[in-house]
Amino acid sequence: RGAIFERMVSAKVVVDFAAIKEMREQKGLSLSDLSLALGYKTTSGYWLIERGQRKVSIDTLYRLAKIYGCHMEELLTENPDYTPRTPAI
């Protein structure tokens, strides 16, 4: 196993909420625009995602990537505070 593999296995990937907000702003989209596109009845539905207060499904990440014209990986980041658990034997 190489160092890259070990790094991939030991890293926890999380949603990059700052990137999601930045991409929305770069595209000139409002919170309301994204709420409607994702099927939320109110603007707060999407706003809670950007604030990191609502869990994001894979489906939502996929749809955001399509809206923003990017790959899903661009909406994710590694969590440097993650400590992998040692499996019980």
Side-chain angles (χ1 to χ4, degrees):
R1 296 180 181 167
I4 293 174
F5 176 79
E6 291 299 325
R7 186 170 160 255
M8 287 176 9
V9 170
S10 67
K12 176 169 175 138
V13 177
V14 296
V15 176
D16 189 341
F17 299 105
I20 288 174
K21 180 179 180 179
E22 184 178 318
M23 288 184 187
R24 176 183 58 79
E25 291 172 343
Q26 287 176 352
K27 292 281 186 183
L29 299 170
S30 69
L31 290 169
S32 181
D33 293 334
L34 266 289
S35 295
L36 288 171
L38 296 173
Y40 290 104
K41 294 179 182 178
T42 66
T43 302
S44 66
Y46 178 74
W47 178 75
L48 291 171
I49 288 175
E50 277 193 6
R51 298 205 20 109
Q53 297 177 349
R54 172 172 274 171
K55 290 187 177 188
V56 183
S57 68
I58 297 295
D59 180 61
T60 299
L61 279 178
Y62 178 80
R63 292 166 65 195
L64 284 170
K66 288 291 189 185
I67 291 166
Y68 295 148
C70 68
H71 295 281
M72 283 178 55
E73 292 86 2
E74 294 175 67
L75 305 177
L76 303 172
T77 188
E78 289 182 16
N79 181 351
D81 298 327
Y82 176 69
T83 304
R85 291 184 289 172
T86 305
I89 298 177

